[in-house]
Each structure stands twice: as structure tokens, then as C-alpha cells.
Amino acid sequence: MADKVQFDLVSPERRVASVEADAILIPGAEGDMTAMAEHAPTITTLRPGILKVTGGGEGDEEYIVTGGFAEINGSAITVLAERAMPRGDMTREHFQQMVKEAEDVLAKAKETHVNEPGPVDDAAKLLSDMVAMGDEIGLSAY
């Protein structure tokens, strides 16, 4: 039997998940990554996406995350998410609110950072990632 890793997913409101798992697929800002037991110590930022837990107590589970950090440390993986919820709890209303917030961030960045592409590009990427996540879960915003 493969080694398990302790996985904890925490949002500002609550602990969303705490299970022993075989692998965690993390939507990293620099690309998706899979972390398993004995993974090299790593800290990465998250992009909006679906975090997948394989081999947890109830089988495979998926969670919606919208940013934050993941800390991988051999036998433990902790994700501190800006927002996190089980995929099954995501409603069209939740998703539309998240997209609206991302659109507002982009509009404010365009207004505040005229001729400064960095912050505007970051805000556009946030919106793009949010829309892509919606497409993947069947709640497309457009």
C-alpha cells in the first residue's frame, strides 16, 4: 500500500477538509502539480481552480479554490485558500458572484494602473482562470 499524506484545506471561515490521502492535485499559479507522500518541501501560490484529493477517506474528492498558498512538507500538505468549498456545494449563484468579483478587480486595475501592464495582466489572468474553472465544472460564465 502506498504511503498516505495528511491533507488539510483551510479557508478564512473554516477547515474545509482534513483527510489522509494518496495524492493531491493542486492548481498552482505556475501550473498544476501533484503532491504525494515524501514530496520535496515546497510552497506555491494557487490560482482559481479545482483541487483534487485522491484516496481520501470517502474516495476521491474535489474542492473549488480561488487563490492562496499550498505548503507541501513530506508527510503533510496544507492548503490555505482565499476561498474554498467542496465542488458539490458550488452553485451557479456562487460562481457568478466570484466572476463578478474578478471582473470588478480587472476594471479597477485598468482604471488605477493606466499604462502599467503588470497589475492589469494579473487581474485579467484571475478572470481568465475563473472562467476556465467554470467551464470545467459546467458553470460557464459566458
Side-chain angles (χ1 to χ4, degrees), residues 5 31 39 57 90 113 117:
V5 62
H39 191 286
M90 176 62 80
H113 301 284

Side-chain angles (χ1 to χ4, degrees), residues 23-39:
I24 313 297
L25 177 64
I26 300 167
E30 300 297 321
D32 291 353
M33 65 185 297
T34 300
M36 298 170 24
E38 305 307 320
H39 191 286

Side-chain angles (χ1 to χ4, degrees), residues 84-103:
M85 70 176 63
R87 179 177 174 169
D89 291 353
M90 176 62 80
T91 64
R92 180 164 304 283
E93 293 76 26
H94 281 118
F95 178 68
Q96 288 174 337
Q97 179 62 33
M98 292 165 56
V99 169
K100 173 77 169 94
E101 291 169 9
E103 289 171 338

Side-chain angles (χ1 to χ4, degrees), residues 37-53:
E38 305 307 320
H39 191 286
T42 306
I43 295 177
T44 187
T45 55
L46 304 177
R47 64 169 170 74
I50 300 172
L51 186 143
K52 297 177 183 178
V53 179

